[in-house]
Amino acid sequence: MIDPLTALAGIQSAISMVKKAAGVAQDLSSLAPMIGKLFDAKSVATKAMLQAKQSGKSSNMGTALQIEMALEQARAFEEELKMLFMQTGKVDVWNKIKARQAQMDLADAKEISALRYAEKKAKEKEQEQLEIGLALGALFFLGFIVFVGIYELMEFCKTSRCGR
């Protein structure tokens, strides 16, 4: 599980780092690595927030709230970043970045879907194997009971008169 407080600190430090670098950067391309780190931190924080919300613990809800606020701060900063691209005449670059992000998000969603499908199939296979094992165990037990019954009948017929 992702530590929510670490995720929160990561996104806040990434935002401050990009803002400081934006003040001294010569062009937008020199900011690319830091902007990448910002969006990586945003992704980690989003995952941490979802895990905290799903856990249902009241203490995690406070953490989820903090992370949600940090994500809102990141969204606002993303708008500032968009304006920075627009002011420098790089709107086409921003649009390409957003299009690539959409493609990557779609690929991630497909990958997650495929993983869930594989997990579902693995569970179904495991359940099927369990059912086969139980059926074989029951069949073996039934065969054993029949064998013991026939053996006891034969022993009884040796000592008594069974239809002879």
Side-chain angles (χ1 to χ4, degrees), residues 4-20 37-38 41-42 45 65-67 69-71 73-74:
L5 296 177
T6 304
L8 178 63
I11 197 167
Q12 289 174 338
S13 68
I15 288 173
S16 66
M17 180 177 60
V18 173
K19 283 185 177 182
K20 287 177 187 174
K37 288 180 183 180
L38 167 69
K42 182 180 173 185
L65 179 65
Q66 290 175 340
I67 292 172
M69 296 306 291
L71 289 174
Q73 183 183 8

Side-chain angles (χ1 to χ4, degrees), residues 66-79:
Q66 290 175 340
I67 292 172
E68 190 64 45
M69 296 306 291
L71 289 174
E72 182 57 36
Q73 183 183 8
R75 281 187 280 277
F77 180 72
E78 188 175 332
E79 283 300 314

Side-chain angles (χ1 to χ4, degrees), residues 101-112:
Q101 177 190 9
Q103 287 175 339
M104 293 170 76
D105 288 346
L106 182 62
D108 288 347
K110 286 181 180 179
E111 184 178 330
I112 289 170

Side-chain angles (χ1 to χ4, degrees), residues 30-147:
S30 63
L31 292 176
M34 287 174 264
I35 293 170
K37 288 180 183 180
L38 167 69
F39 288 107
D40 288 344
K42 182 180 173 185
S43 175
V44 168
T46 302
K47 289 175 186 173
M49 179 197 59
L50 290 174
Q51 287 177 352
K53 283 182 178 178
Q54 289 173 351
S55 73
K57 296 180 181 176
S58 60
S59 62
N60 286 341
M61 286 305 289
T63 304
L65 179 65
Q66 290 175 340
I67 292 172
E68 190 64 45
M69 296 306 291
L71 289 174
E72 182 57 36
Q73 183 183 8
R75 281 187 280 277
F77 180 72
E78 188 175 332
E79 283 300 314
E80 290 177 30
L81 191 60
K82 177 181 174 183
M83 290 311 230
L84 185 63
F85 273 89
M86 288 180 179
Q87 290 170 353
T88 58
K90 303 280 187 179
V91 176
D92 59 327
V93 174
W94 178 257
N95 291 335
K96 288 177 185 178
I97 290 170
K98 293 305 283 183
R100 185 166 314 274
Q101 177 190 9
Q103 287 175 339
M104 293 170 76
D105 288 346
L106 182 62
D108 288 347
K110 286 181 180 179
E111 184 178 330
I112 289 170
S113 177
L115 286 173
R116 287 182 180 154
Y117 179 75
E119 286 176 6
K120 180 182 174 187
K121 284 296 181 185
K123 285 181 181 179
E124 287 175 358
K125 185 176 181 178
E126 184 179 330
Q127 181 66 28
E128 182 181 335
Q129 289 176 342
L130 178 65
E131 290 171 359
I132 289 172
L134 288 173
L136 288 175
L139 190 61
F140 176 76
F141 182 71
L142 184 62
F144 178 73
I145 295 297
V146 169
F147 174 76

